[in-house]
Amino acid sequence: MTDLRDWSRHSPYSDPGRHAVLLDDVPTDIPGLSAVARNVIVHYRGSGLELPASTRNDIHSRWLAVMLEIDQERHRKPLAEPRDPTDRVQGCCRDHTLFCVGVLRQHGIPARSLVGFAGYLRPGYNHDHVIVQTYDRETQRWVRFDPEIAEPTETLPTPHDIPAGADASFRTAAEVWQGCRAGSLDPHLFGTGPGSDFAGMWFIHNYVLMQLAHRYADELLLWDGWGAVSLPGGPPDSTLALIDDIADLLIAVESAASPADESRLDALLLQRYGDDERLHPGMSVTQYSPYGDRPLTVPIARGPGHGNSHAAPASGAPDGVSL
């Protein structure tokens, strides 16, 4: 079986740095943890609030250590103590998830992020989304939860234990890609919102790559570009077979029938991720912007040993990272 210790060690992204003591005091039960995540981070476009333009660049804080630094500069108090919503760190589902993953790993609990599409946020549409997977040692299974959903809803009655499967209310990017390629799903119903240009096959294609990266501790921003990531108008024919293959492997490892199968498939997928330069970020990524700002080339350190053995090809925070 995949060594669960791999998922309970920090990646460069989830490492809290000098603010580790703050995470020690955060509860690890799913409702309590999710509440603290929402207290620290406010969704930059989904909150319904008019947030300060002066803090909008919070959304590019790719490292948990930087998010915590921003929070403490503004509040200087434990993470569970209430913050005014407009003074919280601006972020998105990826950031709520990274916060929860960081807390769980800080407590030695296996956790990782899962990239896909949620059908429970808007009727008739499937929004791009990132949720948490944590391993429940008592039931010996990976539990999925959405830290942004505080209470059960009609469309998501179990936000703290979300069902898995291609027909579930949350589908992984790989499941959506496979369904669209087979013609059973409409790709125009998957993206950032109805009528958005950030939807369809090119977007789903990129989210398969994002799902792969997040599984192996490269918990990248949702607007990062690297390798085989496609621009609008794609995806190119040259990468269709590659994404088909990766999607099949991601689905297979998530639904493995036995620990032995999971371990074998995980080793195969991790090797593919590390060996193929189209799949993993290199020394830099292209950071795009949901605000339409010009793309930036952002250098990232790369290399093994950043505290997570699954992160051999993973990127790390640049030396001297600062706000």
Side-chain angles (χ1 to χ4, degrees), residues 267-310:
L268 175 61
L269 188 56
L270 177 58
Q271 183 167 354
R272 287 285 301 275
Y273 182 60
D275 289 349
D276 193 328
E277 293 184 354
R278 296 172 296 176
L279 298 177
H280 64 255
M283 299 300 293
S284 65
V285 294
T286 301
Q287 180 181 289
Y288 297 93
S289 167
Y291 298 120
D293 300 334
R294 66 181 181 86
L296 299 174
T297 299
V298 177
I300 53 176
R302 244 190 100 214
H306 290 287
N308 186 328
S309 62
H310 262 148

Side-chain angles (χ1 to χ4, degrees), residues 4 7-10 14 16 23-24 26-34 64 96-113 131-137 142-145 147:
L4 292 172
W7 307 117
S8 59
R9 298 171 182 143
H10 281 300
S14 71
L23 302 192
D24 291 339
V26 177
T28 59
D29 65 285
I30 291 174
L33 170 58
S34 298
L64 179 58
H96 284 115
T97 289
L98 183 64
F99 178 90
C100 292
V101 166
V103 170
L104 292 168
R105 288 175 179 166
Q106 182 68 18
H107 289 262
I109 300 170
R112 61 194 183 209
S113 51
I131 62 173
V132 184
Q133 286 183 304
T134 183
Y135 192 78
D136 186 324
R137 296 184 186 275
W142 286 95
V143 175
R144 301 177 176 186
F145 70 93

Side-chain angles (χ1 to χ4, degrees), residues 109-122:
I109 300 170
R112 61 194 183 209
S113 51
L114 184 62
V115 177
F117 295 86
Y120 50 80
L121 299 174
R122 183 195 296 259

Side-chain angles (χ1 to χ4, degrees), residues 3-63:
D3 190 343
L4 292 172
R5 290 175 298 179
D6 294 341
W7 307 117
S8 59
R9 298 171 182 143
H10 281 300
S11 71
Y13 292 86
S14 71
D15 191 332
R18 69 187 185 96
H19 296 294
V21 67
L22 291 171
L23 302 192
D24 291 339
D25 293 332
V26 177
T28 59
D29 65 285
I30 291 174
L33 170 58
S34 298
V36 177
R38 296 191 301 273
N39 183 56
V40 173
I41 300 161
V42 61
H43 200 292
Y44 78 101
R45 61 182 172 84
S47 67
L49 301 171
E50 186 173 344
L51 300 175
S54 60
T55 62
R56 74 172 197 164
N57 283 333
D58 290 357
I59 66 169
H60 300 308
S61 304
R62 63 182 62 242
W63 322 106

Side-chain angles (χ1 to χ4, degrees), residues 153-219:
T153 67
E154 184 176 346
T155 53
L156 187 63
T158 57
H160 301 148
D161 191 353
I162 299 173
D167 297 324
S169 58
F170 179 90
R171 296 180 176 100
T172 68
E175 289 167 340
V176 172
W177 174 263
Q178 193 178 74
C180 290
R181 291 282 279 167
S184 60
L185 296 176
D186 180 353
H188 297 100
L189 297 179
F190 295 85
T192 60
S196 172
D197 292 333
F198 295 89
M201 290 303 287
W202 76 272
F203 190 79
I204 301 163
H205 166 285
N206 291 352
Y207 267 50
V208 175
L209 295 169
M210 192 70 70
Q211 180 186 340
L212 177 65
H214 276 237
R215 181 179 178 89
Y216 294 118
D218 271 323
E219 292 118 347

